[in-house]
């Protein structure tokens, strides 16, 4: 079969159209800033993407801020990142180098669409807070030059807002679930910033963080970078504020502060921070309380789950244990019940003057014959008793001993082990498979001696070192170990 000239021309036209359609479709699926990689001659900072993440959808100056950077360079790559489509809509210019990135996954979009790095094709990223404005040429170039030559992993410039940035020292301890802020000893190089700043860093550094754009951006960013030992250098450089700053009304500021506190609390919990010590010594807790369950579940093999994560007992749990122990001891002393620190709690008092940092309960021994002196213990014999302070007194289901829980919701607890003398030896009716669960001579309790523990003074066996070595073995005070080293040892936990 031979083709006529008309048929050949038609086939060629169809093929050409298909090629054009394929190219247009491919082009539409590329990040727009990748189509604008080649900067205009004379552009200010084509190797930097402006990334706008910290703004309130209900009241912001993002369009004016974006416009100020485009006035410096119309080809400036800009990415505005939001969890979901902002409403009211942002009046952003409809040009290829300005993109709106929605970070929440959507059913009808590919995975890359919710990843912020998809939209960034430059070597550097400048995190710009709402309300900043580009005015003087060359500011981004200067920041890039300092980043390249200054040795810091991040550089920053203040924003001339009501809350300009200042340097802080920041110590993050994942093991202890804490973040501690203090004055920076070597400003302008520091661990973190407080206040409004434009922060510049390499794109690969930003997107190698586990939560690169978590809000509040400053809180999340500097927790992650300080943990890695990355310094930020605060430059003698200022970005002016926009002409009409956002959050100008009292109601808008109140709403932003309320939502900001909620976001910060959610972020800190998600990153495993339970206690923040702010500059000036103010403490803020983000863990469990009397109204919530404790931070960990059922303990298996004497080894709580957090030890496998390379962490110790969360500070909120330790606080609850200290409060419960102090309260229980007060009740026992008022009722005339003889008690003493037992097991790991006595070991913690001897070694730390406190609860062992990875322990999850408190143990007290009591004289069985004194149980009837205490109203709460008598009540617990018949069933669970919630006292006027919200502590729960009950008989433990594991055996013939008592348990006092922090609350009905939070089951952090103090165990009370009833002992009685038999031929000069203290014994009891319930024995668990613990190496320290052994009988001992009564002379260790005659007399009892005071010993600092968990912020108060408790009663302890006399010659408690010998008592502990009887239960745990020689050198136990000087040689710390996890409760079940066959499952996980302190030395092998990293």
């Amino acid at each position: 079969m031979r083709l006529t000239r008309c048929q050949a021309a038609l086939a060629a036209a169809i093929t050409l159209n298909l090629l054009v359609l394929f190219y247009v479709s491919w082009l539409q699926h590329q990040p727009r800033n990748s189509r604008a990689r080649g900067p205009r001659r004379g552009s200010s900072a084509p190797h930097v993407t402006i990334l706008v993440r910290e703004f309130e959808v209900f009241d912001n100056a993002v369009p004016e801020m974006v416009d100020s950077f485009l006035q410096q360079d119309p080809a400036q790559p800009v990415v505005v990142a939001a969890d979901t489509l902002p409403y009211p809509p942002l009046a952003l210019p409809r040009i290829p180098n300005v993109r709106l990135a929605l970070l929440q996954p959507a059913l009808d979009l590919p995975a890359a669409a919710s990843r912020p790095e998809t939209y960034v094709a430059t070597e550097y990223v400048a995190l710009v807070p709402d309300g900043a404005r580009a005015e003087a040429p060359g500011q981004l170039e200067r920041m890039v030059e300092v980043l390249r030559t200054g040795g810091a992993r991040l550089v920053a410039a203040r924003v001339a807002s009501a809350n300009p940035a200042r340097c802080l020292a920041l110590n993050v301890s994942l093991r202890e679930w804490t973040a501690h802020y203090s004055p920076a000893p070597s400003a302008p190089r520091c661990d973190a910033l407080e206040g409004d700043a434009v922060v510049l860093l390499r794109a690969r550094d930003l997107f190698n963080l586990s939560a690169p754009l978590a809000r509040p951006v400053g809180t999340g960013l500097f927790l992650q970078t300080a943990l890695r030992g990355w310094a930020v250098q605060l430059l003698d450089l200022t970005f002016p504020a926009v002409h009409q700053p956002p959050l100008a009304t009292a109601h808008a500021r109140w709403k932003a502060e309320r939502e900001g506190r909620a976001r910060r609390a959610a972020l800190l919990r998600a990153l495993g921070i339970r206690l923040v010590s702010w500059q000036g010594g103010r403490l803020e807790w983000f863990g469990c309380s009397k109204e919530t369950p404790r931070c960990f579940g059922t303990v298996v093999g004497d080894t709580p789950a957090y030890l496998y994560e390379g962490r110790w007992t969360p500070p909120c749990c330790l606080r609850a244990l200290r409060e419960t122990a102090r309260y229980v001891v007060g009740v026992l002393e008022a009722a005339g019940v003889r008690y003493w620190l037992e097991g790991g709690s006595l070991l913690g008092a001897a070694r730390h003057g406190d609860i062992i940092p990875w322990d999850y309960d408190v143990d007290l021994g009591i004289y069985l014959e004194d149980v009837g002196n205490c109203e709460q213990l008598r009540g617990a014999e018949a069933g669970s008793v919630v006292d006027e302070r919200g502590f729960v007194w009950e008989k433990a289901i594991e055996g013939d001993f008592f348990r006092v829980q922090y609350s009905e919701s939070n089951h952090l607890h103090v165990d009370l082990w009833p002992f009685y003398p038999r031929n000069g030896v203290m014994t009891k009716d319930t024995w668990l498979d613990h190496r320290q669960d052994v009988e001992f001579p009564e002379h260790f309790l005659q007399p009892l001696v005071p010993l600092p523990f968990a912020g108060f003074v408790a009663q302890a066996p006399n010659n408690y070192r010998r008592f502990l070595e009887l239960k745990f073995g020689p050198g136990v005070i000087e040689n710390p170990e996890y409760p079940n080293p066959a499952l996980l040892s302190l030395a092998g936990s990293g």
Side-chain angles (χ1 to χ4, degrees):
M1 176 180 177
R2 298 182 60 184
L3 294 177
T4 65
R5 289 185 177 180
C6 289
Q7 288 173 325
L10 179 61
I14 292 173
T15 302
L16 180 61
N17 283 332
L18 288 174
L19 290 172
V20 170
L21 286 173
F22 174 78
Y23 175 73
V24 170
S25 176
W26 174 85
L27 190 63
Q28 288 176 341
H29 284 80
Q30 304 306 303
R32 292 183 188 179
N33 55 1
S34 70
R35 288 176 254 159
R37 288 185 188 180
R40 299 186 301 111
R41 180 172 297 177
S43 62
S44 60
H47 41 286
V48 178
T49 294
I50 302 300
L51 184 50
V52 184
R53 172 61 167 146
E54 196 62 68
F55 65 94
E56 302 295 344
V57 294
F58 58 84
D59 189 342
N60 63 75
V62 171
E64 180 184 347
M65 176 177 61
V66 170
D67 184 63
S68 73
F69 282 95
L70 294 177
Q71 287 181 17
Q72 297 290 320
D73 176 11
Q76 172 67 60
V78 178
V79 176
V80 178
D83 293 320
T84 57
L85 188 66
Y87 182 83
L90 295 174
L92 299 175
R94 295 178 177 273
I95 56 178
N97 50 299
V98 177
R99 304 294 308 276
L100 177 63
L102 304 183
L103 306 182
Q104 183 170 297
L107 288 173
D108 58 339
L109 295 175
S114 59
R115 297 175 186 151
E117 58 267 33
T118 300
Y119 304 88
V120 175
T122 57
E123 183 179 358
Y124 301 96
V125 172
L127 297 168
V128 182
D130 189 17
R133 177 168 55 92
E135 185 176 68
Q139 289 177 307
L140 293 176
E141 284 96 334
R142 180 179 169 190
M143 296 177 72
V144 168
E145 184 61 26
V146 174
L147 186 67
R148 284 173 171 168
T149 61
R153 295 290 284 268
L154 306 92
V155 296
R158 292 181 178 88
V159 175
S161 66
N163 185 30
R166 51 202 169 275
C167 260
L168 294 175
L170 172 57
N171 179 265
V172 181
S173 173
L174 288 182
R175 188 176 68 180
E176 298 176 357
W177 310 72
T178 59
H180 177 74
Y181 292 87
S182 60
S186 56
R189 181 169 291 196
C190 50
D191 303 314
L193 300 176
E194 182 181 40
D196 297 328
V198 174
V199 180
L200 185 135
L201 70 165
R202 289 176 174 82
R204 68 170 183 268
D205 284 347
L206 176 65
F207 296 124
N208 275 329
L209 301 176
S210 62
L213 296 183
R215 296 183 66 190
V217 171
T219 302
L221 176 68
F222 293 119
L223 282 171
Q224 296 173 86
T225 57
L227 183 66
R228 290 160 173 78
W230 298 359
V232 55
Q233 184 170 345
L234 184 58
L235 306 181
D236 185 19
L237 184 69
T238 301
F239 282 78
V242 294
H243 298 297
Q244 294 183 334
L247 310 176
T249 68
H251 176 74
R253 289 192 295 273
W254 168 81
K255 185 175 181 180
E257 289 170 4
R258 183 191 63 180
E259 295 188 3
R261 285 193 300 269
R263 281 192 291 264
R264 185 182 63 187
L267 172 65
L268 291 169
R269 292 189 181 103
L271 295 179
I273 301 297
R274 295 291 182 265
L275 174 61
V276 176
S277 173
W278 297 105
Q279 184 180 11
R282 181 175 64 91
L283 300 181
E284 195 168 4
W285 297 85
F286 298 94
C288 64
S289 67
K290 264 189 177 292
E291 291 72 38
T292 67
R294 67 185 184 184
C295 296
F296 56 95
T298 301
V299 176
V300 178
D302 297 327
T303 306
Y306 52 77
L307 289 184
Y308 292 103
E309 300 170 2
R311 294 174 178 252
W312 289 351
T313 309
C316 47
C317 298
L318 289 173
R319 180 178 65 162
L321 285 173
R322 293 184 187 107
E323 182 182 341
T324 307
R326 178 193 289 268
Y327 177 72
V328 169
V329 163
V331 170
L332 297 179
E333 290 180 344
V337 176
R338 291 167 290 175
Y339 76 91
W340 60 94
L341 294 170
E342 259 291 346
S345 298
L346 178 61
L347 183 57
R351 186 187 293 150
H352 308 281
D354 201 351
I355 298 168
I356 294 174
W358 51 82
D359 209 351
Y360 53 89
D361 64 5
V362 170
D363 291 305
L364 300 177
I366 60 174
Y367 270 88
L368 176 61
E369 62 188 88
D370 293 346
V371 167
N373 298 342
C374 178
E375 177 185 354
Q376 289 88 338
L377 292 178
R378 291 198 308 270
E381 293 271 19
S384 181
V385 175
V386 182
D387 67 18
E388 68 280 0
R389 293 276 300 276
F391 294 92
V392 182
W393 299 69
E394 61 188 10
K395 249 329 191 24
I397 61 174
E398 296 94 334
D400 192 19
F401 62 98
F402 298 94
R403 177 163 290 163
V404 186
Q405 296 181 160
Y406 188 44
S407 71
E408 291 182 278
S409 300
N410 192 322
H411 294 174
L412 289 161
H413 58 265
V414 173
D415 285 336
L416 304 174
W417 300 92
F419 283 83
Y420 55 90
R422 184 171 60 194
N423 300 324
V425 174
M426 297 301 292
T427 189
K428 56 189 176 76
D429 293 331
T430 294
W431 299 96
L432 302 181
D433 188 21
H434 297 159
R435 56 178 174 167
Q436 71 271 23
D437 205 13
V438 296
E439 296 177 331
F440 58 91
E442 188 179 13
H443 67 70
F444 283 110
L445 308 181
Q446 297 174 342
L448 293 167
V449 298
L451 192 63
F453 175 71
F456 63 98
V457 177
Q459 296 297 305
N462 63 74
N463 197 0
Y464 55 81
R465 174 180 290 275
R466 178 73 186 91
F467 183 87
L468 287 168
E469 291 185 342
L470 171 69
K471 293 207 164 200
F472 291 96
V476 65
I477 297 176
E478 294 77 18
N479 298 286
E481 182 53 276
Y482 283 165
N484 190 347
L487 288 179
L488 183 67
S489 69
L490 179 59
S493 63

